[in-house]
Amino acid sequence: MRIILLGAPGSGKGTQAQRLQKDLGLPQVSMGDLLREAVVSGSELGLQAKIAMDAGELVSNSIVLEMIKERLSAPAAGSGYVLDGFPRNQIQAEGLDVVLSDLGQVLDATVFMDVSREALMKRLTGRRTCSKTGKLLNVHFSSQQDLDECIEAGGKLIRRDDDNEDTIRTRLGVYERETEPLIAYYRECGLLQVVDAETSADEVYTRLRKVLVGSRVTESD
Ligand code: AMP
């Protein structure tokens, strides 16, 4: 079972990938997380990636393609995965096709998570992580009780470096220019499923599971 979650920053790809991981045992392969790990490690690659990430631009195709190749060849990817944040442009999509064909792997579905730009802005500007519990919260949408719980536990509501308004606008522009055309690419490949993702995470998950049952992906695969 190999799935791509396609969507803008803030469309909920990470949240849904984590749920699929928990329920179906499919490892989440988040390119953003892999890059953030590289940044924390302080490697040369991490330093290069950080410059693009802080600016809200894409990290170079050669770097991310090399990383994805390594990750998808690892034993942990043997029984499938959910790709979250990869591919993000045409070159990456074509590069992924080559990697998959070299590895003898076939994609089961690409799910486009559809959210309006207005809602994306609100989700991204309000997004916070509790430093104590790691819980994902949103100052616009989380209940006061959930927000207080973090503070009372001695935590802080941390905003990701690239979740400030200027960088968010750049990231959404990059998405529209570079990533959105992949919707047509995967539609032409006959792999595209669309989920209206402008609702609660629980409801989106229900919709996601429904379209996956309609594609080649089922729990018993
Ligand atoms: P994300 O956590 O998916 O929002 O990604 C955070 C940042 O990591 C993006 O704004 C990019 O700078 C970088 N990034 C993530 N995935 C990719 C990718 N497939 N290609 C290039 N850069 C990426």
Side-chain angles (χ1 to χ4, degrees):
M1 292 169 280
R2 298 176 194 93
I3 304 163
I4 294 175
L5 293 185
L6 187 64
S11 59
K13 301 185 298 294
T15 304
Q16 300 300 329
Q18 279 172 13
R19 289 189 169 202
L20 290 173
Q21 172 165 285
K22 189 164 154 263
D23 288 357
L24 303 182
L26 291 176
Q28 171 196 17
V29 178
S30 158
M31 183 50 74
D33 285 349
L34 290 174
L35 289 166
R36 279 183 286 277
E37 278 165 26
V39 170
V40 170
S41 79
S43 65
E44 182 55 37
L45 183 154
L47 291 177
Q48 274 183 46
K50 186 171 166 30
I51 297 170
M53 292 169 83
D54 283 350
E57 302 286 351
L58 293 185
V59 174
S60 82
N61 290 326
S62 56
I63 290 183
V64 295
L65 270 165
E66 200 46 51
M67 287 171 85
I68 209 74
K69 198 162 146 189
E70 197 182 313
R71 185 67 184 76
L72 300 192
S73 330
S79 58
Y81 41 79
V82 181
L83 290 182
D84 154 16
F86 188 93
R88 260 171 146 115
N89 62 23
Q90 185 73 25
I91 291 175
Q92 293 179 15
E94 288 170 9
L96 176 64
D97 289 344
V98 173
V99 170
L100 292 174
S101 128
D102 287 351
L103 293 171
Q105 298 180 2
V106 177
L107 281 176
D108 293 280
T110 295
V111 183
F112 168 51
M113 302 188 39
D114 196 6
V115 179
S116 70
R117 191 182 169 111
E118 243 184 343
L120 291 169
M121 273 312 278
K122 218 166 173 194
R123 285 187 186 183
L124 290 166
T125 52
R127 189 157 74 174
R128 302 287 186 278
T129 307
C130 175
S131 61
K132 197 83 184 178
T133 62
K135 197 168 170 177
L136 273 177
L137 297 160
N138 190 298
V139 293
H140 303 306
F141 304 121
S142 299
S143 67
Q144 194 57 47
Q145 190 186 344
D146 279 348
L147 295 169
D148 289 346
E149 227 169 65
C150 169
I151 308 297
E152 280 157 20
K156 283 200 177 106
L157 296 171
I158 306 287
R159 175 144 124 163
R160 246 171 66 171
D161 285 349
D162 57 354
D163 274 348
N164 62 75
E165 270 195 46
D166 280 352
T167 313
I168 289 169
R169 271 183 223 289
T170 306
R171 286 160 66 206
L172 290 177
V174 168
Y175 166 76
E176 282 162 9
R177 210 171 48 244
E178 306 235 13
T179 313
E180 224 166 42
L182 296 184
I183 298 169
Y185 179 79
Y186 285 109
R187 183 174 285 125
E188 274 162 32
C189 297
L191 285 171
L192 192 78
Q193 302 281 349
V194 180
V195 165
D196 176 352
E198 201 165 321
T199 179
S200 70
D202 285 348
E203 178 56 28
V204 173
Y205 188 62
T206 305
R207 293 176 186 179
L208 179 59
R209 291 298 301 270
K210 219 179 259 173
V211 300
L212 290 179
V213 170
S215 72
R216 296 202 284 124
V217 184
T218 64
E219 226 153 332
S220 57
D221 272 352

